[in-house]
């Protein structure tokens, strides 16, 4: 009690508030809320861009001693999307940030052209599809990336593995892949993947986090809020229901 267990500040977590505020604006049209949140977004993105190094990658965190010189591909792909959202918010509130403009360009280049800049975690499906989900990859490069690892992660009728060598599919990762497929116009497979994951739905409407298909049981034994959130985002993207349905399809 009363002690700090982890003093690190995660760059991805800090940047993501920009995506949240932009998403809220798209859905509600509430510009006054975006204006109230702008100072927080501004400080968060300044903090994150200050962690950029090398080819343009972003250090995954800052400790009390300074930046931790390691970059994570999934986190950086998410940061790329968040900075783009932050730039859109800057334009909305009439406070352009020219010093931010180069950051996503450098970061996107690192993601697309310099895999060696990132700590290798290619066992995890998130490293596979996040460069597409975050918008750094589009067109032929995105299609090639999806094809390259499809058979490593996709389990027919169930969704996608969280880790390529484990018999475990997860609802959140599957729905994030749905969003990535939708973003590049692969609607057929996006719809199929979304239908597959519905077996995780509990009768009360909540969703189980995952399924261990070697033992045929839920794993972990929980119905997580982040899984339900991913389901909602995917459903909105596919149905084009709210003003935020293109959050990942049309990057600002």
């Amino acid at each position: 009690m009363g002690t700090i267990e982890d003093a690190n500040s995660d760059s991805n977590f800090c940047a993501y508030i920009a995506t949240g505020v932009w998403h809220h604006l798209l859905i509600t049209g509430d510009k006054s809320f975006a204006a109230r949140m702008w100072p927080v977004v501004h400080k968060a993105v300044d903090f994150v861009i200050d962690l950029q190094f090398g080819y343009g990658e972003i250090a995954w965190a800052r400790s009390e001693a300074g930046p931790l010189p390691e970059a994570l591909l999934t986190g950086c792909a998410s940061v790329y999307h968040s900075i783009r959202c932050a730039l859109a918010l800057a334009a909305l509130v009439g406070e352009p940030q020219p010093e931010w403009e180069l950051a996503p360009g450098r970061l996107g280049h690192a993601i697309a052209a310099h895999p060696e800049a990132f700590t290798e975690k290619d066992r995890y499906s998130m490293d596979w599809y996040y460069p597409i989900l975050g918008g750094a990859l589009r067109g032929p490069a995105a299609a090639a990336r999806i094809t390259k690892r499809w058979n490593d992660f996709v389990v027919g009728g169930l969704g996608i593995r969280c880790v390529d060598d484990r018999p475990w599919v997860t609802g959140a990762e599957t729905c994030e892949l749905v969003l990535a497929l939708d973003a590049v116009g692969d609607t057929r497979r996006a719809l199929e993947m979304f239908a597959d994951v519905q077996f995780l739905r509990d009768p009360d409407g909540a969703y189980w986090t995952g399924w261990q298909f070697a033992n045929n049981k839920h794993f972990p034994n929980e119905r997580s809020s982040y899984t339900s959130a991913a389901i909602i985002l995917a459903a909105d993207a596919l149905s084009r229901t709210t003003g935020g349905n293109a959050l990942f399809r049309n990057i600002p």
Side-chain angles (χ1 to χ4, degrees), residues 19 21 27 32 46 54 56 61 83 85 95 136 144 146 201 207 216 241:
T19 297
V21 173
I27 292 173
S32 64
D46 270 347
I83 295 175
C85 292
E95 294 189 23
I146 289 292
R201 182 171 181 166
Y207 283 79
N216 290 322
T241 298

Side-chain angles (χ1 to χ4, degrees), residues 7-239:
N8 293 336
S9 295
D10 185 299
S11 57
N12 178 34
F13 294 171
C14 289
Y16 209 64
I17 191 169
T19 297
V21 173
W22 182 248
H23 190 213
H24 184 273
L25 174 69
L26 292 176
I27 292 173
T28 66
D30 188 350
K31 295 181 180 180
S32 64
F33 175 80
R36 291 198 304 274
M37 293 300 296
W38 168 245
V40 180
V41 172
H42 188 287
K43 290 180 180 179
V45 174
D46 270 347
F47 171 85
V48 170
I49 291 177
D50 191 50
L51 297 176
Q52 191 164 40
F53 70 105
Y55 293 107
E57 62 269 31
I58 304 284
W60 79 271
R62 178 185 287 277
S63 71
E64 293 178 330
L68 301 178
E70 178 184 15
L72 305 178
L73 181 57
T74 294
C76 281
S78 180
V79 167
Y80 174 86
H81 180 263
S82 293
I83 295 175
R84 295 283 297 270
C85 292
L87 284 166
L89 287 167
L92 176 79
V93 301
E95 294 189 23
Q97 303 295 311
E99 67 276 16
W100 292 358
E101 295 285 349
L102 292 178
R106 291 182 61 210
L107 180 54
H109 174 73
I111 292 169
H114 292 285
E116 72 277 11
F118 304 96
T119 298
E120 186 175 346
K121 290 182 178 289
D122 59 3
R123 293 173 59 232
Y124 296 89
S125 60
M126 292 169 67
D127 264 24
W128 167 47
Y129 61 77
Y130 250 79
I132 301 163
L133 178 66
L137 291 185
R138 287 289 188 265
R145 189 176 185 88
I146 289 292
T147 299
K148 184 176 181 180
R149 300 296 307 275
W150 184 269
N151 291 333
D152 295 335
F153 291 111
V154 175
V155 181
L158 296 179
I160 70 169
R161 300 173 189 252
C162 177
V163 187
D164 65 8
D165 58 353
R166 300 292 176 86
W168 175 39
V169 295
T170 49
E173 276 84 351
T174 302
C175 284
E176 288 179 337
L177 176 61
V178 168
L179 290 164
L181 292 170
D182 174 72
V184 295
D186 194 343
T187 306
R188 178 186 62 81
R189 289 198 294 188
L191 287 165
E192 289 174 355
M193 297 301 300
F194 189 71
D196 285 349
V197 83
Q198 297 308 310
F199 82 99
L200 292 174
R201 182 171 181 166
D202 194 72
D204 71 359
Y207 283 79
W208 295 92
T209 297
W211 180 256
Q212 218 279 9
F213 54 84
N215 296 329
N216 290 322
K217 64 179 183 180
H218 292 117
F219 176 79
N221 189 31
E222 65 179 21
R223 300 180 303 171
S224 51
S225 59
Y226 66 82
T227 299
S228 293
I231 291 279
I232 292 169
L233 287 169
D236 188 32
L238 293 173
S239 65

